[in-house]
Amino acid sequence: MANRLPVDRREGSWEPSPGGLVSALAPVVSAHRGAWIGWAGIHDEDVEPFEFDGMSLFPVALSHDEHHQYYEGFSNATLWPLYHDLIVAPQYHRPWWKAYYAVNSRFAEAVIAVAAHGATVWVHDYHLQLVPDMIRAQRPDVQIGFFNHIPFPPVEQFAQLPWRDSILNGLLSADVIGFQRESDATNFQQSCLRLLGTSCEHRRTKIGVYPISIDVDEVLRATESEAVNEVARRFRSDLGDPATLILGVDRLDYTKGILHRLHAFEELLEDGLLDPKETCFVQIAVPSREGIDAYQDLRDEVERLVGHINGRFGTLDRSVVHYFHRSYSADSTIALYLAADVLLVTSLRDGMNLVAKEFVTARQGRAGALVLSEFAGAADELRQAVLVNPHDITGLKHAIHQAAIIRPEDARARIATMAATVGDYDVHQWARDFLDDLQPATAPADC
């Protein structure tokens, strides 16, 4: 179960949705012939359950107003900034909370209606933190897991939330709660202890760290496709075959540090460390939460800065920054990785960042460099990346320059090591580890 089904309806047919959560979970659900409960992305319409790519999909209906208050409001203007270091100020509105509670209840009822006796229920992400307790109240027979894909904030930060006790109690009804990083698990445990006066062993809830991964075989399949490789060659050719192609692939979100990397890139051109005639920066910004003011403001600022840099360093027939505000298919994204020399992942705060893992997997046997924020969960595993504090523009400049001039043999060795790390713990192993821990235990679960 997740907020969204793994599909979008386009021109009357269903197509796979873009996004890290879908790319990670869909192979797991398909492999287990499981069911996926979520919103179909359509307002004010009841959609009947249907089959898609080996999954049984059960849509949950949302009105336009419910979506605005539960998703754009409480989930993404309250919880998202609260859980991401207060990069923008969270907004606390009681009607949003009431909508969040009501929609979580509807998701729980959908599970209760379709889950077989003794079923395993896996709830995903911050949109549905009340669901485990709501299911447990009516279905004590099922095993409930919850995985938090985003960071969990320090207790001093989380304590701001007026409904903090309800969130913690909602989660503690799960048998297993999974986090991306040790720090997230620690933050959650401290919040339970200091705000509720309870700990995991009292609730028989196991707290675990399960860093999410990717479907390695699918990425490698794409890299071996002649069609994908031809798209990569054509993409680079259309940009004028630059000596160095730098790439960013992100949702258009203020947590991704897109403005920081653009400022650093501009200074590299200004200082003469990168030649605008030989260097090209491509930024893919997938549209995201466009009904929220902070995202609209970010889009305006990114587009203004891109225009400013091109005005300073571009020519009439050649832009130095190419900005694409659109989604790309999985194969097209792999083609971008194959075309690029450097990938910038400069998140100010990120649960994991699967783009980084996809890039190093796609680059196996090739040169290439990854500039990776230390504030992304992937930094715990991909230690051969050029690690950086994205708030430090001087340090970020040095990191991008280092990645742009790295020796090919050094780049290949680093990529090989990181790709092996991802290959040893792919999305299927991630799911096995979590689901194995979720099976009924003969002894009380420990913290």
Side-chain angles (χ1 to χ4, degrees), residues 225-369:
S225 162
E226 181 53 37
V228 171
N229 279 271
E230 176 56 30
V231 170
R233 288 189 290 268
R234 188 167 64 249
F235 184 77
R236 190 157 185 141
S237 175
D238 289 345
L239 294 171
D241 286 316
T244 304
L245 176 54
I246 300 172
L247 176 67
V249 179
D250 310 86
R251 284 189 309 104
L252 186 59
D253 193 289
Y254 51 77
T255 65
K256 301 301 182 181
I258 296 173
L259 290 170
H260 296 65
R261 74 184 66 151
L262 283 168
H263 283 299
F265 181 68
E266 179 182 15
E267 289 192 19
L268 285 167
L269 298 175
E270 191 175 69
D271 295 346
L273 294 173
L274 293 179
D275 184 350
K277 297 178 182 178
E278 299 291 335
T279 308
C280 185
F281 178 29
V282 174
Q283 176 63 56
I284 308 301
V286 177
S288 178
R289 302 165 189 164
E290 295 185 291
I292 300 174
D293 289 346
Y295 290 79
Q296 297 169 1
D297 294 343
L298 175 65
R299 178 178 177 180
D300 291 343
E301 195 168 354
V302 168
E303 291 176 353
R304 182 200 62 77
L305 185 53
V306 168
H308 169 74
I309 296 171
N310 280 328
R312 289 189 67 192
F313 300 102
T315 63
L316 287 174
D317 59 352
R318 186 179 185 278
S319 296
V320 68
V321 180
H322 293 260
Y323 171 72
F324 300 96
H325 184 241
R326 50 163 291 190
S327 299
Y328 282 79
S329 69
D331 280 359
S332 295
T333 303
I334 300 302
L336 292 170
Y337 299 150
L338 297 179
D341 301 297
V342 178
L343 178 73
L344 304 184
V345 176
T346 58
S347 311
L348 307 181
R349 196 78 165 90
D350 221 336
M352 177 51 62
N353 195 285
L354 296 179
V355 167
K357 293 188 173 185
E358 290 173 348
F359 177 77
V360 299
T361 302
R363 300 297 304 188
Q364 287 188 69
R366 301 170 172 86

Side-chain angles (χ1 to χ4, degrees), residues 67-341:
H67 180 257
H68 171 70
Q69 296 198 63
Y70 144 78
Y71 180 77
E72 293 180 342
F74 195 80
S75 294
N76 289 310
T78 301
L79 293 176
W80 181 267
L82 180 66
Y83 285 31
H84 285 86
D85 289 350
L86 310 177
I87 297 170
V88 303
Q91 300 176 48
Y92 303 120
H93 298 302
R94 284 172 288 181
W96 290 359
W97 164 251
K98 291 178 181 178
Y100 184 83
Y101 186 96
V103 171
N104 271 243
S105 179
R106 191 174 307 158
F107 272 80
E109 291 296 334
V111 173
I112 291 164
V114 302
H117 183 81
T120 296
V121 179
W122 198 358
V123 184
H124 287 269
D125 227 359
Y126 64 104
H127 315 86
L128 303 173
Q129 292 174 109
L130 305 179
V131 166
D133 190 50
M134 292 172 168
I135 296 174
R136 177 72 65 215
Q138 297 189 54
R139 291 293 301 273
D141 59 291
V142 300
Q143 292 295 117
I144 304 171
F146 183 92
F147 188 78
N148 194 67
H149 289 260
I150 67 174
F152 196 90
V155 60
E156 295 81 7
Q157 205 164 291
F158 183 74
Q160 290 186 17
L161 185 66
W163 307 280
R164 62 197 191 189
D165 290 4
S166 296
I167 295 292
L168 294 176
N169 283 315
L171 293 172
L172 284 170
S173 287
D175 296 286
V176 177
I177 305 173
F179 296 94
Q180 303 276 25
R181 310 179 84 173
E182 290 285 352
S183 58
D184 300 323
T186 298
N187 288 343
F188 176 76
Q189 290 169 308
Q190 290 178 344
S191 291
C192 292
L193 192 60
R194 289 176 55 181
L195 301 177
L196 296 182
T198 190
S199 58
C200 309
E201 58 262 27
H202 293 141
R203 299 296 187 98
R204 296 174 59 88
T205 299
K206 176 179 174 58
I207 307 298
V209 177
Y210 312 86
I212 196 170
S213 194
I214 63 170
D215 190 335
V216 170
D217 290 341
E218 277 300 298
V219 173
L220 294 178
R221 176 202 60 75
T223 65
E224 295 165 0
S225 162
E226 181 53 37
V228 171
N229 279 271
E230 176 56 30
V231 170
R233 288 189 290 268
R234 188 167 64 249
F235 184 77
R236 190 157 185 141
S237 175
D238 289 345
L239 294 171
D241 286 316
T244 304
L245 176 54
I246 300 172
L247 176 67
V249 179
D250 310 86
R251 284 189 309 104
L252 186 59
D253 193 289
Y254 51 77
T255 65
K256 301 301 182 181
I258 296 173
L259 290 170
H260 296 65
R261 74 184 66 151
L262 283 168
H263 283 299
F265 181 68
E266 179 182 15
E267 289 192 19
L268 285 167
L269 298 175
E270 191 175 69
D271 295 346
L273 294 173
L274 293 179
D275 184 350
K277 297 178 182 178
E278 299 291 335
T279 308
C280 185
F281 178 29
V282 174
Q283 176 63 56
I284 308 301
V286 177
S288 178
R289 302 165 189 164
E290 295 185 291
I292 300 174
D293 289 346
Y295 290 79
Q296 297 169 1
D297 294 343
L298 175 65
R299 178 178 177 180
D300 291 343
E301 195 168 354
V302 168
E303 291 176 353
R304 182 200 62 77
L305 185 53
V306 168
H308 169 74
I309 296 171
N310 280 328
R312 289 189 67 192
F313 300 102
T315 63
L316 287 174
D317 59 352
R318 186 179 185 278
S319 296
V320 68
V321 180
H322 293 260
Y323 171 72
F324 300 96
H325 184 241
R326 50 163 291 190
S327 299
Y328 282 79
S329 69
D331 280 359
S332 295
T333 303
I334 300 302
L336 292 170
Y337 299 150
L338 297 179
D341 301 297

Side-chain angles (χ1 to χ4, degrees), residues 10-45:
R10 297 190 181 95
E11 298 179 356
S13 63
W14 296 101
E15 299 179 9
S17 299
L21 188 147
V22 169
S23 63
L25 286 181
V28 175
V29 179
S30 293
H32 287 80
R33 298 294 299 176
W36 188 313
I37 294 170
W39 180 52
I42 303 164
H43 297 121
D44 302 298
E45 182 178 335

